[in-house]
């Protein structure tokens, strides 16, 4: 338990040996370290000083949160990082989703390794101004499950913050796991003294997702993290009409592909339809979606991003959706949200840009 480190065999939700509650809280009951923690000298964690020194060269720190998994949080983190880097900012993307690190895939960095120098761990770079750090770079087998208790996860997050040498950064984007668990408490605790600009919460429109987003909003308010806004992702399926497949269902329930016939008919009889964008509501938004929830909870609503198969493809290929014109419905929506963030929270950076 040197330097206030949480032992690997500690109970889940361990308050830490340096905490005044060490050895005394309910979560300490039955822990083999309970007596040692209760009698150990208390004091500030010296690692927090090292973290503060590392973060001194980082201007802005943004947490990307979600109440549920599978809502596109990591996709948003990746595309936000791509967009900021495209504006010539120095950007770092830190993946603290220890059990489900998808950022290496979404940045096209699978198979890369972390290198160490006399300055610390070096991020893996997509471009000279976009560096990435993730446990995904440390796994010998990408299919291997990370089965860690809270204390070990917290220890790695702390190591990322104090040992990774980012250099001068304009923005550090932190992609967190879904929910409000140990990782969230740790990242807030470790960065609190250095200042967190705020959190962006990603959700989908249906109530089953928004229920948990309300908990995320409550978490941020309790720990004192400003909420920069909420993004409604997968807000209806939108794509060019010609990108759809058209099927006819037989009496036996089988599908027959009639796409070529339909496209040929439209080309001959109604060519103006070939330029249309088709939209369909995938998730039920009759409850008002994220916009209504934001109005009720008093947090900013940043906007909607449609479910765009081309954006999904860009994420699978580890590419920026802004690099070409393929993401014709999602890229403009993301751009509007990012410009709104820049205008509302970092106008001075825009003037530099």
């Amino acid at each position: 338990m040197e330097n206030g480190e949480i032992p690997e065999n500690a109970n889940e939700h361990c308050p830490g040996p340096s905490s005044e509650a060490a050895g005394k809280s309910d979560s300490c009951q039955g822990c083999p370290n309970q007596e040692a923690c209760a009698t150990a000298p208390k004091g500030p964690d010296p690692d927090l000083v090292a973290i503060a020194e590392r973060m001194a060269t980082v201007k802005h720190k943004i947490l990307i949160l979600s109440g549920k998994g599978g809502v596109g949080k990591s996709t948003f983190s990746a595309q936000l990082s791509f967009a900021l880097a495209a504006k010539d900012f120095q950007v770092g993307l830190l993946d603290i989703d220890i059990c489900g690190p998808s950022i290496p895939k979404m940045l096209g960095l699978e198979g890369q390794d972390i290198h160490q120098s006399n300055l610390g761990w070096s991020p893996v770079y997509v471009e000279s101004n976009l560096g990435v750090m993730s446990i995904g770079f440390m796994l010998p087998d990408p299919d291997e499950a990370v089965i860690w208790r809270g204390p070990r996860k917290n220890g790695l997050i702390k190591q990322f913050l104090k040992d990774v040498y980012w250099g001068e950064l304009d923005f550090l984007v932190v992609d967190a796991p879904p929910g409000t668990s140990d990782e969230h408490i740790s990242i807030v605790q470790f960065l609190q003294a250095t200042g967190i600009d705020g959190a962006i919460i990603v959700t989908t429109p249906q109530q089953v997702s928004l229920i948990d987003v309300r908990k995320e909003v409550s978490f941020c308010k309790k720990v004192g993290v400003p909420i920069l806004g909420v993004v409604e992702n997968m807000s209806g399926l939108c794509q060019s009409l010609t990108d759809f497949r058209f099927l006819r269902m037989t009496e036996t329930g089988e599908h027959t592909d009639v796409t070529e016939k339909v496209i040929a008919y439209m080309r001959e009889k109604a060519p103006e339809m070939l330029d249309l964008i088709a939209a369909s509501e995938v998730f039920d938004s009759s409850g008002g979606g994220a916009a209504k929830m934001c109005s009720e909870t008093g947090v900013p609503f940043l906007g909607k991003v449609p479910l765009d198969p081309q954006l999904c493809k860009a994420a699978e290929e580890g590419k920026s959706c802004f690099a070409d014109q393929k993401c014709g419905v999602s890229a403009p929506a993301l751009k509007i949200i990012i410009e709104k963030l820049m205008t509302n929270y970092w106008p001075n950076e825009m003037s530099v840009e």
Side-chain angles (χ1 to χ4, degrees):
M1 289 188 287
E2 295 181 4
N3 294 334
E5 289 286 353
I6 296 175
E8 288 191 10
N9 63 343
N11 288 354
E12 195 169 0
H13 307 301
C14 170
S18 301
S19 168
E20 291 297 329
K24 304 172 185 176
S25 73
D26 292 341
S27 61
C28 298
Q29 299 302 314
C31 177
N33 309 290
Q34 184 175 8
E35 184 177 350
C37 288
T39 57
K42 306 297 186 292
D45 185 349
D47 283 338
L48 295 182
V49 177
I51 291 172
E53 290 174 354
R54 284 290 192 199
M55 292 296 109
T57 59
V58 179
K59 287 185 184 178
H60 305 291
K61 305 168 203 69
I62 310 167
L63 303 184
I64 311 298
L65 308 175
S66 69
K68 281 195 178 299
V71 300
K73 168 186 55 62
S74 294
T75 299
F76 182 83
S77 297
Q79 297 304 326
L80 173 62
S81 300
F82 275 130
L84 292 172
K87 292 175 175 289
D88 291 328
F89 292 119
Q90 296 294 323
V91 182
L93 175 53
L94 176 59
D95 180 7
I96 63 167
D97 194 342
I98 307 299
C99 295
S102 52
I103 287 300
K105 171 75 172 176
M106 293 186 174
L107 275 292
L109 298 174
E110 283 185 300
Q112 297 292 320
D113 296 319
I114 296 172
H115 299 285
Q116 199 160 8
S117 70
N118 59 338
L119 296 173
W121 289 355
S122 297
V124 179
Y125 284 89
V126 183
E127 303 286 350
S128 60
N129 65 332
L130 175 52
V132 181
M133 182 55 66
S134 169
I135 192 178
F137 300 134
M138 305 166 69
L139 300 176
D141 180 356
D143 296 330
E144 184 177 334
V146 179
I147 308 173
W148 289 1
R149 289 187 181 274
R152 195 170 179 190
K153 293 179 186 178
N154 298 343
L156 182 62
I157 293 170
K158 179 184 283 188
Q159 197 164 6
F160 278 159
L161 293 174
K162 72 184 180 71
D163 290 345
V164 175
Y165 177 69
W166 297 100
E168 298 279 342
L169 285 185
D170 295 303
F171 292 94
L172 178 64
V173 178
V174 181
D175 184 52
T180 55
S181 56
D182 284 356
E183 294 95 322
H184 305 80
I185 298 169
S186 294
I187 194 72
V188 171
Q189 176 188 347
F190 297 152
L191 289 180
Q192 199 92 60
T194 70
I196 301 172
D197 288 56
I200 298 170
I201 303 174
V202 181
T203 184
T204 44
Q206 76 277 34
Q207 288 299 315
V208 73
S209 177
L210 294 170
I211 287 170
D212 289 334
V213 171
R214 291 175 182 272
K215 297 181 179 69
E216 206 77 36
V217 170
S218 172
F219 168 81
C220 290
K221 290 180 177 179
K222 284 181 178 179
V223 298
V225 173
I227 299 172
L228 303 179
V230 175
V231 173
E232 182 177 288
N233 196 28
M234 306 185 199
S235 186
L237 171 66
C238 292
Q239 64 178 353
S240 171
L241 191 62
T242 55
D243 288 337
F244 278 92
R245 288 175 60 212
F246 295 88
L247 307 173
R248 176 179 284 122
M249 183 180 291
T250 66
E251 292 181 359
T252 60
E254 297 177 343
H255 291 160
T256 302
D257 193 321
V258 294
T259 303
E260 289 187 12
K261 291 181 180 179
V262 172
I263 298 299
Y265 183 86
M266 284 193 292
R267 187 171 288 117
E268 179 184 354
K269 302 293 185 179
E272 68 277 7
M273 292 183 64
L274 299 176
D275 296 327
L276 294 179
I277 299 292
S280 176
E281 189 175 88
V282 178
F283 299 108
D284 179 24
S285 59
S286 59
K292 182 180 179 183
M293 185 217 67
C294 288
S295 176
E296 292 171 348
T297 55
V299 300
F301 177 61
L302 293 173
K304 302 179 180 182
V305 180
L307 179 57
D308 179 1
Q310 291 298 327
L311 175 58
C312 299
K313 187 175 181 182
E316 285 288 305
E317 296 176 350
K319 296 179 180 178
S320 168
C321 73
F322 308 102
D324 52 38
Q325 303 301 314
K326 292 181 180 179
C327 300
V329 295
S330 56
L334 282 164
K335 187 176 180 181
I336 290 171
I337 289 170
I338 293 166
E339 293 300 326
K340 184 182 289 186
L341 284 165
M342 297 299 298
T343 301
N344 291 348
Y345 300 107
W346 307 294
N348 293 338
E349 301 294 350
M350 290 186 71
S351 61
V352 172
E353 176 197 355

